């Protein structure tokens, strides 16, 4: 592709993205993010707003010193003091960009700046000319561009280019525009500004109406060759255009958008995680990098995926750094996907009767749980493979808890047909219960998970308890529900323990029979 087909990626995660409530990043986090971005292939990294705070100044300075490929950039208002701060923070870099801006919409000029259009023109001339003294890479933005009079915008853009700006950015500052309107703005600038060929047109869209990515791509198709965006789409209010969505849209629909970005897309998932760890979690259904982006639950979708991935995936998970597609098992999953999951889990020789029984239990469980995990499915199959009742069953339980007295449990179990009882104290009622079980059926397992969920609301809610135990690399999961959380806890642990006994029998039947004879 020619240079005209290259779309430059300008990342503002650490500047505009950090302005999102709750997204403040430490210096160490910004340096870590910058290293990932540099490797990712981002062209320009807007590292901060140096005049805003000592912390921003320090971050821009530190980032400008470590970048090997990306160009560091600092933001400034139309002020010599701001521009001086940018230069001071960036000057250690072999090349850098100063990004200066001023509002041009009637609303902003009147109520925010208290300036006339003529005074704004003077400020553009002074600021761009001054910034040009420090670098030949100057970007100018007309804040609130999409609510600016078109004829006036053309005049400001022409002036900024004449003063030395090499990139002209048209921000949709409040996420107000639509793709067709934004296309018209970019097209008008290309047709009416006489010196427009001397600068690269850039788009910077906010997501207030959910159109940031669509507007950005419309701008590119109209002739813009730089996109300002953020990883995970973070930013003020509803956020910015998401970098990963822009890049993958261009890559996936290269037939309609025959451009290149130079981004190493297989690092997108990693970049998303680094930013998410420093800011806030990504929603599950977020395009490209969300947990569910390559997950399929509906039975029809899963069946299609198993036959040909292209039926329901327009890009591969590997292309964005996700290791593999995940067939999330849920209430909409079909028998085909369930059987395939059993094969993946190693249950290749189970009979149709067992599969049918396990699938029925799976459907019941899936109605209660949002996600059914591999251990849950394995537990269902193990349950279905048991012809008799569990070898260990709870007969009775009494628990003494509260302040002033040690927590104590009195328990009776049926162990291989023999009724046994004991009383034990513990660090809390649950600990006392689990100690009773270990006394009545001696065993050595590691408790990996103990989790309590309320099925419904209110003080009379039924509690569902999940227990996961591990023994010599083998894990089992037990689950039980009861309005008494402590009874549910005992039954959940016993469920996991019975399944472990089944696993022992499958892997070491002779040892199992010896233990049975010894009554342990």
């Amino acid at each position: 592709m020619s240079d005209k087909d290259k779309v430059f990626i300008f990342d503002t995660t650490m500047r505009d993205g950090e302005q999102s409530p709750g997204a403040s990043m430490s210096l160490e986090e910004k340096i870590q993010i910058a290293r990932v971005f540099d490797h990712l292939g981002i062209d320009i990294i807007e590292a901060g707003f140096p005049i805003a705070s000592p912390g921003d100044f320090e971050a821009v300075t530190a980032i400008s010193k470590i970048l090997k490929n990306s160009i560091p950039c600092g933001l400034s208002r139309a002020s010599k003091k701001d521009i001086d701060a940018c230069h001071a923070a960036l000057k250690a870099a072999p090349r850098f960009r100063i990004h200066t801006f001023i509002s041009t919409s009637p609303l902003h000029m009147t109520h925010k700046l208290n300036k006339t259009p003529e005074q704004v023109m003077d400020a553009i001339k002074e600021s761009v000319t001054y910034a040009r003294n420090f670098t030949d890479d100057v970007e100018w933005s007309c804040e609130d561009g999409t609510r600016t009079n078109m004829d006036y915008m053309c005049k400001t853009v022409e002036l900024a280019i004449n003063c030395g700006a090499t990139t002209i950015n048209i921000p949709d500052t409040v996420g107000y525009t639509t793709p067709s309107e934004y296309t018209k703005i970019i097209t008008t600038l290309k047709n009416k500004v006489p010196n427009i060929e001397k600068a690269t047109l850039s788009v910077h869209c906010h997501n207030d109406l959910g159109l940031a990515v669509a507007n950005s791509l419309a701008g590119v198709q109209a002739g813009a060759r730089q996109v300002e965006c953020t990883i995970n789409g973070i930013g003020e209010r509803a956020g910015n255009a998401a970098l990963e969505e822009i890049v993958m849209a261009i890559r996936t629909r290269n037939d309609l958008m025959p451009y290149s970005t130079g981004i190493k897309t297989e690092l997108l998932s990693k970049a998303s995680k680094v930013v998410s760890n420093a800011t806030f979690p990504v929603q599950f259904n977020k395009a490209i990098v969300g947990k569910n982006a390559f997950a399929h639950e509906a039975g029809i979708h899963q069946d299609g995926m198993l036959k040909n991935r292209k039926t329901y995936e327009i890009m591969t998970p590997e292309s964005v750094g996700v290791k593999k597609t995940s067939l999330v098992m849920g209430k909409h999953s079909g028998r085909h996907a369930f059987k395939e999951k059993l094969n993946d889990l190693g249950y290749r020789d189970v009979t149709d009767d067992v599969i049918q029984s396990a699938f029925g239990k799976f459907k019941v469980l899936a109605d209660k749980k949002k996600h059914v995990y591999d251990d849950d499915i394995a537990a269902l199959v193990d349950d279905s493979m048991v012809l008799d009742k569990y070898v260990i069953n709870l007969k009775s339980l009494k628990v003494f808890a509260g302040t002033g007295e040690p927590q104590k449990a009195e328990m009776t179990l049926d162990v291989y047909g023999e009724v046994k009882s004991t009383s034990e104290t513990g660090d809390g009622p649950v600990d006392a219960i689990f100690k009773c079980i270990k006394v009545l059926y001696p065993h050595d397992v590691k408790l990996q998970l103990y989790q309590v969920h309320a099925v419904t609301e209110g003080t009379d809610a039924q509690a569902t308890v999940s227990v996961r135990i591990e023994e010599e690399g083998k894990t089992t999961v037990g689950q039980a529900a009861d309005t008494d959380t402590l009874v549910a806890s005992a039954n959940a642990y016993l469920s996991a323990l019975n399944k472990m006994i089944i696993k022992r029998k499958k892997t070491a039947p002779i040892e199992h029979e010896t233990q049975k004879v010894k009554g342990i």
Side-chain angles (χ1 to χ4, degrees), residues 377-398:
I377 293 173
L380 293 176
V381 178
D382 288 340
D383 279 348
S384 299
M385 293 173 71
V386 179
L387 299 178
D388 300 320
K389 292 182 179 180
Y390 283 147
V391 294
I392 305 175
N393 292 285
L394 179 67
K395 302 295 288 184
S396 67
L397 173 67
K398 290 183 180 180

Side-chain angles (χ1 to χ4, degrees), residues 112-132:
K112 176 184 172 182
L113 300 178
N114 194 27
K115 290 181 181 292
T116 66
E118 292 73 25
Q119 288 174 318
V120 169
M121 292 285 281
D122 290 340
I124 294 169
K125 181 177 180 180
E126 182 179 28
S127 59
V128 174
T129 301
Y130 187 68
R132 194 67 171 76

Side-chain angles (χ1 to χ4, degrees), residues 9-82:
I9 300 299
F10 178 110
D11 180 87
T12 184
T13 299
M14 289 181 281
R15 199 279 300 169
D16 204 337
E18 192 187 28
Q19 292 174 203
S20 177
S24 293
M25 308 168 204
S26 68
L27 175 62
E28 292 74 20
E29 288 169 335
K30 285 189 175 183
I31 290 175
Q32 182 188 18
I33 290 170
R35 292 188 193 279
V36 173
F37 285 6
D38 196 33
H39 189 40
L40 179 61
I42 290 171
D43 298 289
I44 304 99
I45 296 176
E46 190 168 55
F49 196 167
I51 197 70
S53 71
D56 251 33
F57 184 92
E58 183 182 13
V60 175
T61 302
I63 291 168
S64 68
K65 292 177 180 178
I66 65 170
L67 295 180
K68 296 179 179 179
N69 304 302
S70 306
I71 298 172
C73 174
L75 183 70
S76 75
R77 293 165 297 188
S79 155
K80 288 185 177 181
K81 188 176 180 181
D82 281 31

Side-chain angles (χ1 to χ4, degrees), residues 297 328-333 338 341-342 345 356-384 390 453 455 462-467 477-481 492 495 499:
E297 181 177 329
V328 177
M329 304 304 293
K331 65 180 181 180
H332 301 297
S333 297
F338 183 77
K341 173 63 78 174
L342 296 188
L345 295 175
Q356 186 60 38
S357 174
F359 184 66
K361 294 177 181 178
F362 158 75
K363 282 290 190 178
V364 173
L365 181 61
D367 275 332
K368 299 176 181 177
K369 295 187 66 176
K370 288 184 178 180
H371 303 291
V372 180
Y373 298 102
D374 290 356
D375 284 342
D376 293 318
I377 293 173
L380 293 176
V381 178
D382 288 340
D383 279 348
S384 299
Y390 283 147
H453 301 281
V455 178
Q462 180 173 247
T464 297
V465 177
S466 297
V467 169
V477 175
Q479 191 176 70
S495 175
K499 292 168 188 174

Side-chain angles (χ1 to χ4, degrees), residues 132 136 138 157-158 160-168 190 193-201:
R132 194 67 171 76
D136 59 2
V138 175
V157 169
E158 182 180 0
I161 296 173
N162 281 337
C163 293
T166 52
T167 301
I168 298 294
K190 287 183 67 67
V193 177
N195 56 358
I196 196 68
E197 294 301 323
K198 294 181 181 180
T200 299
L201 270 173

Side-chain angles (χ1 to χ4, degrees), residues 478-520:
Q479 191 176 70
D482 199 283
T483 51
D484 187 326
T485 305
L486 298 177
V487 172
S489 298
N491 279 323
Y493 189 99
L494 289 173
S495 175
L497 185 57
N498 276 291
K499 292 168 188 174
M500 184 63 73
I501 292 171
I502 293 169
K503 283 199 172 185
R504 286 179 192 164
K505 187 174 182 179
K506 288 193 293 185
T507 57
I510 295 176
E511 179 185 353
H512 170 80
E513 289 301 319
T514 302
Q515 289 178 340
K516 181 176 178 181
V517 171
K518 291 179 179 178
I520 61 173

